[in-house]
């Protein structure tokens, strides 16, 4: 059994970007820049945003955090985005989700210039992913999972993959990227019948349901590859969607929580921001 070390792999990726960036920065005369907008005080969001800013510092990027009151109007938020769209020191913009319910999330995401949408949530980037146009940005979590498969030489061609969860930010894009790898993908949601039976047939499981210890030993087959995208805070402790302790006994490869997909998500955000920077300084 191999524990897939997302922390170590993300460090490796960040180190490479740091080096390449320090070279380019001299020629370009400016650093790559990421702006993070956070609306309200969601405690989990605070942690993730802090980790993102820390990663920027780690690789020598410029970063800005824009903290907005949870009662801000949609109009004012859109104005903030417009300023960043027009800011030539900013290559990547992200609005940390979730945002308050009185604001139209889709409208906000699509207000970000597609060329700066380093989350890969903009309609244009989703379209590019769908059709295989590689000039766009891939959503960070699914891209990070694919990167882990590649690092550990896990071939997905012809594999039966079970994706649990169908969110716009993980399950749906994950499915598209797995299809591109020629996997046979089945997508489950909370209405799915006989999840346990489906799990038993899967060669690879991607758990992104947000339900602690949903995937148990009895559910999986010997040698399964398990990717745990879940991040559940229970009594101040962090749990994935997988019962790691037990399932790791049967798995050939498994990601831990923390230290698995989370750090890879952040590495992909940095990678997307760097890609955007390179596209912009080339022009
Ligand atoms: N616009 C937007 N883009 C996102 O990419 C986005 C978002 N909104 N909203 C929330 C989710 C969640 N997400 C994580 C990022 C890092 C860790 C991470 O660093 N995890 C650490 C543990 C950190 C901890 O203590 O919680 C780990 O797994 O080792 C987790 C989750 C990004 N998201």
């Amino acid at each position: 059994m191999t524990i897939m070390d997302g922390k170590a792999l993300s460090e490796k990726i960040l180190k490479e970007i740091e080096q390449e960036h320090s070279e380019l920065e001299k020629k370009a005369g400016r650093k790559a820049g990421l702006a993070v907008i956070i609306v309200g005080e969601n405690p989990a969001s605070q942690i993730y945003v802090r980790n993102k800013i820390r990663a920027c510092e780690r690789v020598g990027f410029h970063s800005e955090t824009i903290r907005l009151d949870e009662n801000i109007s949609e109009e004012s938020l859109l104005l903030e985005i417009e300023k960043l769209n027009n800011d030539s020191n900013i290559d990547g913009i992200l609005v940390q989700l979730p945002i308050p319910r009185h604001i139209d999330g889709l409208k906000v995401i699509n207000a970000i210039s597609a060329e700066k949408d380093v989350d890969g949530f903009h309609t244009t980037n989703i379209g590019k992913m769908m059709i295989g146009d590689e000039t766009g940005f891939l959503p960070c979590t699914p891209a990070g999972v694919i990167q882990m498969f590649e690092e550990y030489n896990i071939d997905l061609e012809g594999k039966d993959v079970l994706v649990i969860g169908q969110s716009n930010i993980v399950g749906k894009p994950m499915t598209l990227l797995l299809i591109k790898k020629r996997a046979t993908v089945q997508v489950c949601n909370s209405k799915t019948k006989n999840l346990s039976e489906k799990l038993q047939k899967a060669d690879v499981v991607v758990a992104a349901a947000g339900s602690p210890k949903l995937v148990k030993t009895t559910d999986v087959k010997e040698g399964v590859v398990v990717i745990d995208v879940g991040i559940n805070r229970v009594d101040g402790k962090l749990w994935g969607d997988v019962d790691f302790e037990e399932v790791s006994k049967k798995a050939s490869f498994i990601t831990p929580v923390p230290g698995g997909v989370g750090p890879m998500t952040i590495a992909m955000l940095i990678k997307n921001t760097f890609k955007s920077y390179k596209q912009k300084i080339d022009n």
Side-chain angles (χ1 to χ4, degrees):
M1 189 271 299
T2 303
I3 297 176
M4 300 167 87
D5 191 341
K7 184 93 188 100
L9 177 54
S10 74
E11 280 298 325
K12 188 170 103 179
I13 293 164
L14 294 182
K15 192 166 280 173
E16 283 167 13
I17 293 174
E18 180 193 11
Q19 283 170 0
E20 206 186 324
H21 176 254
S22 75
E23 294 297 314
L24 283 179
E25 187 195 343
K26 290 173 214 152
K27 278 187 275 173
R30 71 169 182 91
K31 295 174 191 285
L34 175 69
V36 180
I37 300 180
I38 176 164
V39 186
E41 304 282 332
N42 182 311
S45 292
Q46 306 290 332
I47 297 173
Y48 306 143
V49 168
R50 197 177 60 215
N51 289 353
K52 289 169 185 179
I53 298 303
R54 221 180 260 156
C56 282
E57 288 165 359
R58 162 84 180 68
V59 296
F61 288 7
H62 163 70
S63 67
E64 290 174 23
T65 313
I66 292 120
R67 296 181 179 281
L68 302 171
D69 189 272
E70 65 177 353
N71 296 315
I72 190 172
S73 68
E74 185 178 285
E75 197 189 356
S76 309
L77 175 56
L78 294 174
L79 275 171
E80 291 291 337
I81 292 170
E82 199 48 39
K83 272 193 268 174
L84 295 167
N85 282 342
N86 296 324
D87 185 339
S88 56
N89 285 314
I90 294 299
D91 302 288
I93 303 169
L94 79 84
V95 178
Q96 186 69 19
L97 302 176
I99 52 174
R101 287 169 49 168
H102 68 276
I103 298 172
D104 179 346
L106 193 57
K107 199 165 163 186
V108 166
I109 285 163
N110 282 333
I112 298 170
S113 156
E115 289 77 36
K116 294 190 178 187
D117 165 44
V118 287
D119 262 332
F121 295 166
H122 191 287
T123 303
T124 298
N125 285 316
I126 294 168
K128 285 185 174 184
M129 170 177 58
M130 182 96 184
I131 214 160
D133 176 342
E134 295 186 350
T135 63
F137 299 106
L138 295 178
C140 300
T141 299
V145 173
I146 294 291
Q147 194 92 54
M148 287 181 111
F149 286 133
E150 288 175 355
E151 173 74 11
Y152 287 89
N153 293 312
I154 297 167
D155 184 12
L156 293 160
E157 206 171 285
K159 296 281 167 62
D160 288 322
V161 183
L162 198 72
V163 175
I164 311 175
Q166 52 171 1
S167 69
N168 288 331
I169 72 174
V170 183
K172 281 190 218 168
M174 187 76 248
T175 300
L176 281 173
L177 298 183
L178 289 165
I179 289 169
K180 198 174 170 206
K181 292 285 190 184
R182 310 296 289 153
T184 305
V185 189
Q186 189 167 30
V187 186
C188 303
N189 58 53
S190 57
K191 304 287 181 206
T192 296
K193 291 177 290 178
N194 308 321
L195 178 64
S196 176
E197 272 170 39
K198 292 178 172 67
L199 275 166
Q200 275 156 29
K201 294 191 184 122
D203 301 313
V204 178
V205 176
V206 180
S211 174
K213 297 195 180 183
L214 178 71
V215 179
K216 300 186 176 62
T217 322
T218 47
D219 297 335
V220 296
K221 73 176 176 192
E222 197 69 44
V224 67
V225 175
V226 181
I227 306 293
D228 192 349
V229 185
I231 22 166
N232 309 289
R233 265 167 228 283
V234 185
D235 304 328
K237 232 188 130 203
L238 213 56
W239 299 93
D241 288 353
V242 177
D243 184 348
F244 182 89
E245 191 71 12
E246 292 299 317
V247 173
S248 59
K249 292 175 185 162
K250 281 176 116 179
S252 56
F253 292 89
I254 188 167
T255 65
V257 176
V261 174
M264 289 304 294
T265 298
I266 292 185
M268 293 303 104
L269 175 69
I270 297 297
K271 193 175 165 182
N272 278 347
T273 305
F274 194 45
K275 179 180 183 177
S276 173
Y277 171 69
K278 286 192 279 190
Q279 287 172 349
K280 286 166 188 57
I281 62 178
D282 279 349
N283 290 328

